[in-house]
């Protein structure tokens, strides 16, 4: 029984899996933050283009 506890205490495979999980979570959070910022920027760009096109159509017609 004592030997089994020692083997379990030295086993680090679970710790490695947890580390990979934490890294994946951190990368996901960074990607979400970057995409959210880019999404707002793209939304502003498309709004500007839409406004300019509307002005061009109104001026031409």
């Amino acid at each position: 029984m004592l030997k089994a506890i020692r083997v379990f205490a030295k086993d680090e495979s679970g710790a490695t899996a947890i580390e990979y999980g934490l890294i994946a979570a951190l990368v996901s959070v960074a990607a979400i933050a970057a995409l959210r910022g880019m999404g707002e920027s793209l939304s502003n760009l498309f709004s500007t283009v839409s406004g300019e096109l509307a002005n061009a159509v109104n001026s031409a017609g």
Side-chain angles (χ1 to χ4, degrees):
M1 180 72 173
L2 189 55
K3 185 177 180 179
I5 293 173
R6 285 184 186 154
V7 169
F8 179 74
K10 289 182 180 181
D11 185 15
E12 295 183 6
S13 62
T16 302
I18 290 172
E19 290 168 358
Y20 283 132
L22 290 173
I23 291 169
L26 181 62
V27 168
S28 297
V29 168
I32 289 169
L35 291 174
R36 178 170 285 175
M38 192 184 327
E40 290 174 9
S41 176
L42 285 174
S43 177
N44 292 338
L45 176 66
F46 285 123
S47 294
T48 302
V49 170
S50 174
E52 292 295 325
L53 287 174
N55 290 338
V57 169
N58 291 336
S59 296

